[in-house]
Every structure is written in C-alpha cells, then in structure tokens.
Amino acid sequence: MEAVYRKFFRHYENNLDADAFDDLARVLDGEQWAAPEFGQFAAHTLDAIAEVARLVVSKSPPALAMHEPTLYAGGAGIALFLYHAWSRLKALAVRDGVPTSLRPRLLADADAYLAHAHAYATQSVEALRRSHDRGTFHWEQVEAERGPSVFCGQAGIYLVAALVAHARQDHTGATTLLKEFVRLGSYLLCDDGDEPASGICEDEVLYGQAGYLLGAVYLYRELGDDAAHPTITAILRYDFLKALIDQLIRRGVALAEQLTGRRRILLYQWHDHLYLGYAHGLMGILSALLETLALPGMPAPTEEQAQLLRRTLEWVYTQHDGRGYYNSRVRLRPAVTSSSAAESNGRDTKRLVQWCHGSPGAVFLCSSALCLDPDDARPRQEAVLAAEVVWREGLLRKGPGLCHGIGGNAYALLRCYVVAAGSDAERRLWLQRALAYAAFLTRYRGVDVATPHWLFGPPGTHIPDRPYSLYEGAAGFGCLLVDLLCPRHAHLPPC
C-alpha cells in the first residue's frame, strides 16, 4: 500500500503490515544465521547499507567535514555510521552459524567502511585545528560552551576519532584522542559546587553534561572489553564520571527544591523551559545518569541518590496522558508559578513523536531504568505503552534521521523489543514493527519520486537540512539497517 498523509499532520498514516515480517523476526530473534531467510535478508540489507554509504560519501564527502565536523550533523557523525557498520559487520562475520559464503562479503564491506570512517574522522579532527572564514565554528571561542558536547561539540569529534583509531590498531592515537575527550569534560566540573567552570555548560543531552555521560558510556561499551588495550579505565576514570554524576544530581535537586519546595525528585531546565524529552529534557538526563551508574566498576549511588532516581522515574511515568503520549515539556502543579521555567509549563500542547521529544524518548528511558532494577516490571510496561504511540504516529514526514525521523523511531521499537515483557511472540511483534519501518523507506528504491533519492521516502517527505548526516539524514538510517542484522544487540549510537 502507498504511504498516505494528511495535510498538517506530522506523520504518514500507518497502514504497514507488521505480520508480513513474522517469519523473518523469528529467524533474527533466534539468531538462526544458517536459515535461508537470514541469507536473503542479509544480502538485501548489505546492498541497502552499501547504497546508503555510496550516497553519503558521494554527496557529503570527507572534505566537507572541514566546514561541519560535528557528530550530530557533520563529518564525525558520518564517521560514526561507518565505524558502526565496520564494528557490527565484523562481529557478525565471526559468529557461529553464519554461512561461509556470506563471511567474505561481511569482512570486505567492513574493511571498506573503516577506511571511509578514517577519512571522515581525520578531516573532522583537522577542522578543530584550522580556522576557516566560511561555514565552520571558531572552536577556540566556544570551547568551554560547546566543547564538552558529544553531539554538537568537540568531545564527540574526539570520541569518534578515538574509536576509529582503535579499530585501525592505532592505540597511541586512540589514547591521545581519549585524553582530549577527558580534557573537554573537565569544563563540566564546578568551581564552586553550583555552576560549571565555564558558567554556560548545559545539563541536557544535546549540548551538555548528560550527552557527555552518554558518550562516556558508549566508549566503555565499545572499548571496555579490549584486554589488549585496557586504557579506557585509566584515562576516562570512574572517579571523574562519578564527580559529574554527583554534580548533575545536585543541580537537579536544587532546581526541584526551588520550583516545588521539596527535594523529592530531579528537575532540569533548558532555555528557561522544563523540557521532558530525550534531547533537551528530563528523560535524556535521567537515562544518562542511570546508564553511567550501571557501568561495571562504577561506584554505586548513595541510598539517597538511588531514591531520588526511583522517585523521578515514577514521576516521569505520570507525565503521559494514560495512553503513552508525552508532551514536550514537564507539567508541574498549576499552583507553581514562581519562576520563568514554571510559568512556561502547561502551555505546550505539541504532540511530538520523535527521539528528541515525546514518547520515543520514554522507551529509551525505560530501557535505562532496568539498570537500576532489572526485575522491576513497571519500566517494561511503560515502554510498551510509549512504543504503541511510536508505532501509531512514528512514520514521520521529516526524513530518515535519528533525531526527528523514522530511523530514530524504529530504534525505539527495537529497544521495546529488547526490554518488553511477555511471550516470545509479544516481544517479536516489536521487532516486526521495526522491520516494517525500515521497509517503509527501502521499498521506494527505484521509484520515481520528487526527492533527490529513494532513501528520503515517498512524496510528502520533508528533505532534512542536512540530509546525509547521522542525526538528521541518511547516515542514521544506515545505522538502523546495520543493527537489524543482529537486533538483540541494537543501540542507537552513541546512546
């Protein structure tokens, strides 16, 4: 069936048939690599990944990273997509049961992607060292403000470059780059216990401290098991991360006390608004705290901190309308009107369903909540409730990207597949739905539509501002295609 959209609606009408992917989901869920269904799906998916890579490299070559080097929208993000493809395809190639005929292509494609990743990472790092008159940031002027940002600053560039250097066995280079990542994180630490040293660092994911913590978790996830090069714990130390956690919790307590008169939950604001969603709000910050505290070897939170995290989680679950819809901003009690942040509450009626705002972020938060208590049934229930919203309204017209596109929403469905309770069939339903979302875009290959390329979807799709980037465009969707080959281990990079 063709995509249907209604004027003024943000999403296409979902008429997808998830049941059509039942057999494939059984094979992927059971990791039945020798099954004919997997061989056919792998060949098709590898072709699609290669096509995404060709598109990205041809339309946004490494040289452009000199003008936009960041992870969110520029060269480092494209490098992360290509690194992600290298890492996952290489790991799949050595799994027991993968057909011998498939292994050479997996390894050859992986090597090609790593070579491209190196080119993008090199240019992105070089962009920090050279001044340009056009189209780039003067990084030396904004180092304290944006440097620690993993998504939109220097830290993310060094993070990706370190991963690529490590993948290429350049351990000396990786160590140097990791030290730069830690140096930038020092801007987040306070001078006086209340404000960051720069005075302008944010708390949230996209520009601030929570995003830095998520980047640190990603580094540990990617490098922490490498016994041949165990530098991650020596450079990115647990006590450094714990200091950032303690500071972020103190700031959340202080604002909650200011706005509510009680110190029972954590609250954060960005641009004088109490945002709720993942990119700028409470969901992302809380998720970052939970994921970092769950790192193996990380000192446990104090009992007071654990109770604050639990109470804040329970409070977040009250922020939807009973059907899983979350608004963009926190709703406080109507009587609270003592600050600009509080005064702005209750006026936002936007129902956004995307990674950065709305119900998809709740799915990711619920996954992180299981770090605190894996036996707690509530996060699994809330994840399903929010994911139902993603399934109904997540076929966005904004393109294929991770931040506010179909790619990010498909990842939310994959996270629900991983964390949902119930029978095998009930869990697999979410994998089927993620596969249906991916197929929604790939089905338009070769169709003559009024867009630059098939990947951007059917007529009515809005072309993103940065259509080949990780978080707005094609590179992010490429990561999703890679993770569908082994969905049990899917993670939206670098979260």
Side-chain angles (χ1 to χ4, degrees), residues 245-257 259-260 262-269 274-276 281-283 285-287 289-290 293 304-313 315-316 330 332:
I245 290 170
D246 292 344
Q247 174 181 273
L248 194 53
I249 290 177
R250 284 198 305 272
R251 288 167 62 81
V253 167
L255 184 63
E257 185 177 36
L259 297 182
T260 68
R262 295 180 296 174
R263 303 178 64 168
R264 298 185 59 190
I265 61 172
L266 303 173
L267 286 176
Y268 301 90
Q269 62 183 354
L274 298 177
Y275 283 101
L276 183 61
L282 184 57
M283 289 179 183
I285 297 171
L286 193 54
S287 182
L289 290 169
L290 293 165
L293 284 166
E304 180 183 3
Q305 288 176 336
Q307 289 299 326
L308 276 167
L309 293 168
R310 290 190 184 96
R311 284 196 297 266
T312 308
L313 277 169
W315 185 76
V316 168
V330 164
L332 294 179

Side-chain angles (χ1 to χ4, degrees), residues 3 35 329 474:
R329 299 178 193 167

Side-chain angles (χ1 to χ4, degrees), residues 152-172:
C152 299
Q154 292 159 290
I157 297 168
Y158 286 120
L159 178 155
V160 176
L163 290 175
V164 173
H166 184 271
R168 300 179 69 249
Q169 304 297 311
D170 178 10
H171 298 316
T172 300

Side-chain angles (χ1 to χ4, degrees), residues 211-412:
Y212 186 88
L213 289 175
L214 287 174
V217 171
Y218 185 69
L219 283 169
Y220 267 90
R221 186 184 299 140
E222 295 295 307
L223 304 180
D225 294 331
D226 187 354
H229 187 58
T231 61
I232 184 71
T233 55
I235 299 172
L236 187 58
R237 301 188 316 275
Y238 292 124
D239 59 341
F240 171 64
L241 296 179
K242 188 63 164 59
L244 294 177
I245 290 170
D246 292 344
Q247 174 181 273
L248 194 53
I249 290 177
R250 284 198 305 272
R251 288 167 62 81
V253 167
L255 184 63
E257 185 177 36
Q258 174 189 341
L259 297 182
T260 68
R262 295 180 296 174
R263 303 178 64 168
R264 298 185 59 190
I265 61 172
L266 303 173
L267 286 176
Y268 301 90
Q269 62 183 354
W270 186 69
H271 287 193
D272 293 326
H273 296 304
L274 298 177
Y275 283 101
L276 183 61
Y278 205 93
H280 297 299
L282 184 57
M283 289 179 183
I285 297 171
L286 193 54
S287 182
L289 290 169
L290 293 165
E291 293 284 349
T292 312
L293 284 166
L295 286 173
M298 177 65 66
T302 66
E303 182 58 30
E304 180 183 3
Q305 288 176 336
Q307 289 299 326
L308 276 167
L309 293 168
R310 290 190 184 96
R311 284 196 297 266
T312 308
L313 277 169
E314 290 297 322
W315 185 76
V316 168
Y317 299 149
T318 69
Q319 292 290 298
H320 63 72
D321 65 353
R323 297 177 298 161
Y325 285 99
Y326 289 84
N327 283 335
S328 299
R329 299 178 193 167
V330 164
R331 293 176 180 271
L332 294 179
R333 292 179 178 178
V336 178
T337 59
S338 60
S339 73
S340 60
E343 288 169 2
S344 70
N345 286 299
R347 299 179 183 177
D348 177 30
T349 58
K350 288 184 179 179
R351 182 177 284 177
L352 300 177
V353 181
Q354 52 202 46
W355 173 81
C356 49
H357 293 291
S359 300
V363 180
F364 291 104
L365 173 59
C366 290
S367 175
S368 299
L370 294 173
C371 296
L372 193 64
D373 183 0
D375 297 324
D376 187 358
R378 182 72 183 276
R380 300 181 190 276
Q381 296 165 356
E382 295 291 341
V384 168
L385 197 62
E388 287 287 358
V389 174
V390 179
W391 172 243
R392 289 194 298 270
E393 297 187 12
L395 283 178
L396 301 178
R397 295 173 55 202
K398 296 182 177 182
L402 301 181
C403 183
H404 38 264
I406 292 174
N409 284 346
Y411 264 111

Side-chain angles (χ1 to χ4, degrees), residues 373-450:
D373 183 0
D375 297 324
D376 187 358
R378 182 72 183 276
R380 300 181 190 276
Q381 296 165 356
E382 295 291 341
V384 168
L385 197 62
E388 287 287 358
V389 174
V390 179
W391 172 243
R392 289 194 298 270
E393 297 187 12
L395 283 178
L396 301 178
R397 295 173 55 202
K398 296 182 177 182
L402 301 181
C403 183
H404 38 264
I406 292 174
N409 284 346
Y411 264 111
L413 299 176
L414 279 180
R415 289 314 300 163
C416 192
Y417 154 67
V418 173
V419 304
S423 66
D424 290 344
E426 289 171 328
R427 284 190 311 101
R428 283 198 306 270
L429 175 62
W430 298 105
L431 175 55
Q432 293 170 218
R433 290 175 169 181
L435 290 164
Y437 264 33
F440 175 78
L441 288 179
T442 56
R443 68 185 289 193
Y444 288 95
R445 298 173 73 177
V447 177
D448 183 17
V449 295

